[in-house]
Amino acid sequence: MSDAPEQRRGAGSLLLETWLAAARARGARSFHVGVNRMNVGALRFWEARGFAALIFDRATESRTCWMGRDPGEPQDQDLV
C-alpha cells in the first residue's frame, strides 16, 4: 500500500500542533484520540508524537485504539 500524495509532507503534524495549541489555550490538560487498530501508519504517527495506548479496566476489545498523552511532554515543541 502506498502513501496518498498528501502524506509525509508535514500537514498532519502542522494540524496536530494547531489542535494542541488551541486546546492548551482553552485549558486542556490531556489529549486523546481514537485510532483504527488496523491503520498501522496512523498508530505510528500518533506514537511518534508522544501518544500511547490507553488501557481500560473491563474494556472490550474493539477496532478503536484509544491513545492519550499529557500536555507538557517535550514533543509539543518538536512536532513540525
Side-chain angles (χ1 to χ4, degrees), residues 7 17 19 29-30 32 37-38 42 50-51 61 70 76:
Q7 292 180 321
E17 181 55 36
W19 174 58
R29 297 186 325 214
S30 60
H32 304 90
R37 290 181 192 281
M38 301 303 289
F51 285 77
E61 195 68 24
D70 292 327
D76 284 352

Side-chain angles (χ1 to χ4, degrees), residues 11-63:
S13 294
L14 183 58
L15 287 169
L16 176 57
E17 181 55 36
T18 301
W19 174 58
L20 292 173
R24 268 191 237 99
R26 289 169 179 77
R29 297 186 325 214
S30 60
F31 305 100
H32 304 90
V33 296
V35 182
N36 184 320
R37 290 181 192 281
M38 301 303 289
N39 190 338
V40 176
L43 290 169
R44 284 190 201 132
F45 172 88
W46 292 104
E47 287 171 353
R49 284 146 187 88
F51 285 77
L54 300 173
I55 308 300
F56 299 101
D57 289 342
R58 295 180 275 163
T60 58
E61 195 68 24
S62 73
R63 290 192 325 187

